[in-house]
Amino acid sequence: MSTEVLTRSELLAAVGGRRAAVAALDAGTYQRVLRGTYVPGDVDIDLQVRCAAAQRLLPEHARVADRCLLWLLGVDVLPSGAPMLEVVVPRDAVVPRRHGILARTADIPPDDRALLSPIAVRCLRPVRATGDLLRRLPLAEAVVVADAVKRSALCDEDQLRTELARHARLKGVRQAHQVLDLSDARAESPPESRLRLQLVQAGLVPVPQFEVRDAAGRFLARVDLAFPAVKVAIEYDGRAVHERDDVFARDRQRQNELVRAGWIVLRYTATDLRHGSARVVAQVRETILSRLAA
């Protein structure tokens, strides 16, 4: 049996008003799927539930697009905060102005229209949606998308290049090709992609997800980014994962193994990416140069 998805007004009616709804969400009796859609708290929010939520919000002439569509397909490159339903509508259609929907207009030829299973949500073809993002997003966020899409195998590089060629006259196509040149399917998270791009743009090109082995070939660790020739490793520490007791302990064990094997490990966080990109690049460069001098 499919899960019933409630809109905000339906949730208010079901629980008896706004205050009761807030209490139900705080208690976990209900949970939010997409902004403005809700399901019971014990429901596993899988692809089918996400599609059902999108269907409740989607105007008849609109199609799910952009990062929201990728999220529905299991590629999470959403910005922080509650997910918005991102849609695209034909240029001559009425643009939705509903809370929780972020809409834009575009040409949508018939062969760019698709249906997303399991409940036939109207959407753009995934490769078209990805191409749009590579054209329209700021460079760093476009690289995040390209890394994640290529890693997921949702679209490969040849498909994306072909898609961009179909839209060669559109704004941002040149950037999109640059994004593909900068992208790497080995990246395992958006912050790792952003950190790698900062270094690459400064002329420092690390190896993503590098396996470190000792002199006997024994596996020691896999690091986010590495400069193997000088034994410099760079790790991104996300608070949600790396502050767990088991992960914290394992990180320290890995770092000790790396140091014993002659590696230097530099660790960075979200704060460094937001406010200290120049400092991060300078530290990495200085560390590499000191190794080369030694």
Side-chain angles (χ1 to χ4, degrees), residues 34 54 57-59 61-69 84-90 94-98 100-106 108 121-124 136:
L34 290 169
L57 293 175
L58 191 63
H61 57 277
R63 293 188 171 268
V64 177
D66 301 337
R67 285 179 283 194
C68 184
L69 174 58
M84 295 283 287
L85 179 57
E86 296 173 302
V87 302
V88 60
V89 300
V94 176
V95 178
R97 302 294 184 188
R98 179 174 175 174
I101 295 178
L102 183 62
R104 63 182 177 88
T105 61
I108 313 176
V121 173
R122 296 176 298 280
C123 65
L124 285 182
R136 299 176 64 250

Side-chain angles (χ1 to χ4, degrees), residues 133-144:
L133 289 169
L134 302 192
R135 292 189 302 104
R136 299 176 64 250
L137 288 176
L139 179 67
E141 296 312 300
V143 170
V144 166

Side-chain angles (χ1 to χ4, degrees), residues 72-90:
L72 290 173
L73 292 167
V75 181
D76 188 357
V77 288
L78 290 175
S80 60
M84 295 283 287
L85 179 57
E86 296 173 302
V87 302
V88 60
V89 300

Side-chain angles (χ1 to χ4, degrees), residues 261-272:
W263 283 71
I264 292 177
V265 182
L266 301 176
R267 312 191 78 96
Y268 296 106
T269 66
T271 300
D272 295 308

Side-chain angles (χ1 to χ4, degrees), residues 266-285:
L266 301 176
R267 312 191 78 96
Y268 296 106
T269 66
T271 300
D272 295 308
L273 293 187
R274 284 195 302 268
H275 307 299
S277 59
R279 180 175 58 84
V280 169
V281 169
Q283 286 181 349
V284 173
R285 178 177 281 113

